[in-house]
Amino acid sequence: MIRIAISLFSMMLLAGCMTVTGAPREENVVYNETSTEQAGSALSDSVSLGEVSEFPGMSVITLSFKTNPNLDDDEFKEFLRQSLDNAGLLGEGYVLDAKLVDSDNWGLGLDLGLGELTRNLAVEYTLKNPDNEVVYSEVIVGDGEITNYNFFWPYHLIEREAAEKGYKDNIRQLIEELKSYET
C-alpha cells in the first residue's frame, strides 16, 4: 500500500512538473494601442525587424531547466512585429534589432510566490537607418511587477503573469520612444 501511495504521489509530482507553465500569451504581450495621436511620427510606416536574439524560450520538461515562461526569438519577433504594426510603425527603411539582456527568471518554483514580486525584462534595441547607421540604441527594462497574497495561486501562473507584464511594458516603452523619435 505504501508503494502505491508513493507511486501515485510521484506520478502527480511528475505530472505537475510536465505542466509547469505556458509561454506568455499573445493577448497579454502585444501592444494594441492604435492611437493616431502621433501618426505623424518620423518613423511612421518605416520600421522593419532585423535580428532578434538571446530569447531562451521554454520547455515543459523540468529537466531542461527552461521552465520559466519565456518567449523564444521567433515568438518575440512576431509579437514585436504585431506591436509595431498596431502602432503604425511597421514598414520599410529602418531596421530594428532586439537582444534579450536579462529575463529575470525566478528559478524552479521553490518559492511560495507571495507578496510583491517582479519579473523585469531587459531588452537591448538597436535601430539602424537606411544607410545602416545606428540611430538608436537603448536597453529598455519592462516592469513586470505583480502582487499576490493568494496562497493557492500556483507559482508558475504567478510568474507567467509577471513575465507577460514585463514583456508588454518593455514593448510599450519601445513603441513610445519610437513614436517620439525625431530624425
Side-chain angles (χ1 to χ4, degrees):
M1 189 61 145
I2 292 176
R3 287 183 185 173
I4 292 173
I6 291 172
S7 296
L8 287 174
F9 177 76
S10 298
M11 287 184 345
M12 288 176 16
L13 181 64
L14 287 174
C17 290
M18 295 302 284
T19 58
V20 171
T21 191
R25 297 163 290 192
E26 177 180 336
E27 64 272 12
N28 295 337
V29 174
V30 172
Y31 178 88
N32 288 314
E33 209 168 299
T34 55
S35 167
T36 57
E37 180 180 311
Q38 292 180 347
S41 168
L43 296 175
S44 290
D45 302 319
S46 65
V47 178
S48 62
L49 288 173
E51 182 180 353
V52 174
S53 61
E54 305 296 323
F55 289 85
M58 58 168 290
S59 172
V60 294
I61 301 172
T62 305
L63 299 177
S64 71
F65 297 106
K66 290 172 43 176
T67 57
N68 300 88
N70 292 313
L71 296 172
D72 64 22
D73 294 341
D74 293 333
E75 290 168 327
F76 187 76
K77 188 172 190 172
E78 177 57 24
F79 292 174
L80 188 54
R81 187 197 65 72
Q82 289 177 37
S83 298
L84 290 170
D85 191 28
N86 291 341
L89 298 170
L90 190 64
E92 296 297 322
Y94 290 81
V95 177
L96 180 68
D97 295 329
K99 177 182 175 186
L100 182 69
V101 176
D102 185 13
S103 63
D104 200 15
N105 288 335
W106 287 0
L108 292 175
L110 302 176
D111 190 1
L112 292 176
L114 294 173
E116 292 181 12
L117 308 162
T118 58
R119 175 122 190 261
N120 300 331
L121 293 122
V123 179
E124 178 182 10
Y125 294 101
T126 305
L127 184 68
K128 296 176 188 167
N129 66 15
D131 297 326
N132 207 28
E133 299 168 332
V134 174
V135 295
Y136 173 84
S137 182
E138 190 75 37
V139 173
I140 296 178
V141 179
D143 179 19
E145 183 176 328
I146 64 168
T147 302
N148 175 45
Y149 293 111
N150 182 349
F151 181 76
F152 297 105
W153 194 17
Y155 180 84
H156 63 283
L157 295 179
I158 298 167
E159 186 179 10
R160 180 171 70 176
E161 183 176 322
E164 290 170 344
K165 285 181 122 180
Y167 279 114
K168 186 170 196 138
D169 186 58
N170 189 288
I171 291 173
R172 179 196 57 77
Q173 289 181 61
L174 171 70
I175 297 293
E176 288 177 0
E177 289 194 26
L178 292 179
K179 280 186 166 186
S180 65
Y181 177 80
E182 296 178 13
T183 55

